[in-house]
Amino acid sequence: MTMLFGEAVASLPVAIPDRLDAFLSVTEFDRPTLVIDTEIVADRYIALKRGLGTADIHYAVKANPTREVIARLINLGSHFDAASRGEIELCLSLGARPETISFGNTVKRGSDIAFAHRAGITLFAADAEAELEKIAVNAPGAQVYIRLIVETSQADWPLTRKFGCDRDMALELLDRARALGLDPVGFSFHVGSQTRKSAMWADTLDEMARIWHAARDAGHALSLLNIGGGFPAFYGEAVEAPTDYAAGVIRQVHARFGDVARIMAEPGRGLVAEAGVIVCEVMLVSSKSARDAHRWVYLDIGRFSGLAETEGEAIRYQFETPHDGSPAGPCVLAGPSCDSADVLYEKRPVSLPLTLAVGDRVLIRNTGAYTSSYSSVGFNGFPPLDVVAI
Ligand SMILES: *Cc1c(COP(=O)(O)O)cnc(C)c1O
């Protein structure tokens, strides 16, 4: 990347979104690059925290593990949800206190649990008996929460089936954890990523609250409710403002669960997506035949180099070109690799200016989440997504 006047621009006293655009307008990039503005992350953290009240924010590190993002969040008092030893080491190396880190993956290596335990981490997730046994051996006496399966997600990017267990098993696992010498403190769930409206949480919260009260009735003194992530970003369809959304969720939680000693939320996308812009370039514009109804536009970034969430076309990124405002037409959008799965949008083509040409710069807005962290290390010889934090 070539940085022109980068330092000077970063210190200009401009409004937050303008800061990012000012940086983009004076910076040249020689390969696809995610520019992430830590001030927007901070702004978003404060907005979500205002809505969440006393609930702790545990940032889901996998959404964007850029060091400057983690450091800024530590500075603001954020806690962290880590899924692996690598993510734990990242947070600790930047100064996060171990008691602010939860090890939230339900599938952990025994030696990584032991590492976390030695490092001072005391809170672990599980959704299976064998996982509790691993935790009991490698982190004796630790606090555990049981992840519940979510059957009723209305999310654009649901996480159902792979994680969690059902009500009866969850109740058994609380007993089993106790018998293994662990401290079963509560439950977690994930409503599904990109749940666009807070009202869409209602059915899931109903389901989760029934299980919570059943566990209480069975004599379990639960103190922790982890409501996971799901906080949305703008991808072209209206979403509620972050504070309103978070407050709307918490209101529904209190109505169903009553007083809970400790509530955790684990936003990933909702904290970082709108803080990032990918800068990329048009590699080729073509047609497959003279009668083709749409053009094919090939970018220098694709499904394997950062845009994995175009899978199924559920997440629809916003594209900006130098010709916006001039006549446009439908395009199939594809990545640069020699893999036929590397097509971004085809079922619902993207409207792009007719004058779009090879070499044009394309900005992909709101791409701060699940892009750099999903980018393969050099599939087909294409470099992983470069990241610049401002
Ligand atoms: C990925 C993940 C999150 C973050 O989800 P978002 O939808 O990005 O907010 C939160 N909790 C857990 C356990 C996760 O795996």
Side-chain angles (χ1 to χ4, degrees), residues 103-175:
F103 200 165
N105 196 336
T106 51
V107 187
K108 298 177 285 301
R109 195 182 289 284
S111 57
D112 291 349
I113 297 170
F115 161 80
H117 180 62
R118 281 196 307 277
I121 289 163
T122 56
L123 185 58
F124 298 81
D127 64 5
E129 184 172 1
E131 191 69 19
L132 287 175
E133 288 164 1
K134 265 189 269 174
I135 298 170
V137 168
N138 293 289
Q143 295 188 333
V144 291
Y145 55 83
I146 305 301
R147 180 153 172 183
L148 299 167
I149 200 161
V150 168
E151 306 275 8
T152 53
S153 182
Q154 294 186 54
D156 287 350
W157 192 263
L159 304 171
T160 43
R161 304 288 337 146
K162 181 169 174 183
F163 302 106
C165 61
D166 77 5
R167 169 210 145 104
D168 291 348
M169 182 165 289
L171 296 185
E172 281 169 33
L173 291 179
L174 292 175
D175 289 328

Side-chain angles (χ1 to χ4, degrees), residues 19 27 50 59 110 115 287 340 345 361 364:
R19 196 177 94 111
T27 311
R50 194 173 295 140
Y59 170 55
F115 161 80
S287 302
S340 57
Y345 298 112
R361 176 189 261 201
I364 317 178

Side-chain angles (χ1 to χ4, degrees), residues 181-205:
L182 296 167
D183 181 11
V185 287
F187 290 127
S188 75
F189 64 91
H190 194 304
V191 71
S193 205
Q194 187 68 7
T195 295
R196 274 181 289 103
K197 300 190 172 107
S198 56
M200 291 175 168
W201 285 61
D203 292 350
T204 298
L205 289 173

Side-chain angles (χ1 to χ4, degrees), residues 30-102:
D30 54 15
R31 61 166 167 158
T33 302
L34 169 65
V35 180
I36 184 110
D37 187 339
T38 54
E39 285 312 308
I40 300 180
V41 176
D43 198 57
R44 192 46 61 94
Y45 175 88
I46 292 163
L48 284 177
K49 183 76 182 125
R50 194 173 295 140
L52 288 168
T54 54
D56 287 325
I57 291 184
H58 284 240
Y59 170 55
V61 175
K62 74 173 186 293
N64 189 321
T66 302
R67 300 176 71 81
E68 291 86 345
V69 168
I70 305 293
R72 189 76 182 89
L73 287 171
I74 292 173
N75 188 258
L76 287 162
S78 184
H79 295 194
F80 296 90
D81 181 60
S84 63
R85 176 173 177 154
E87 288 185 356
I88 292 169
E89 286 174 330
L90 171 68
C91 294
L92 291 174
S93 74
L94 292 166
R97 286 176 294 118
E99 59 275 22
T100 65
I101 302 172
S102 49

Side-chain angles (χ1 to χ4, degrees), residues 18 85 129 184 240 249 289:
D18 298 348
R85 176 173 177 154
E129 184 172 1
E240 293 158 48
V249 170
S289 82

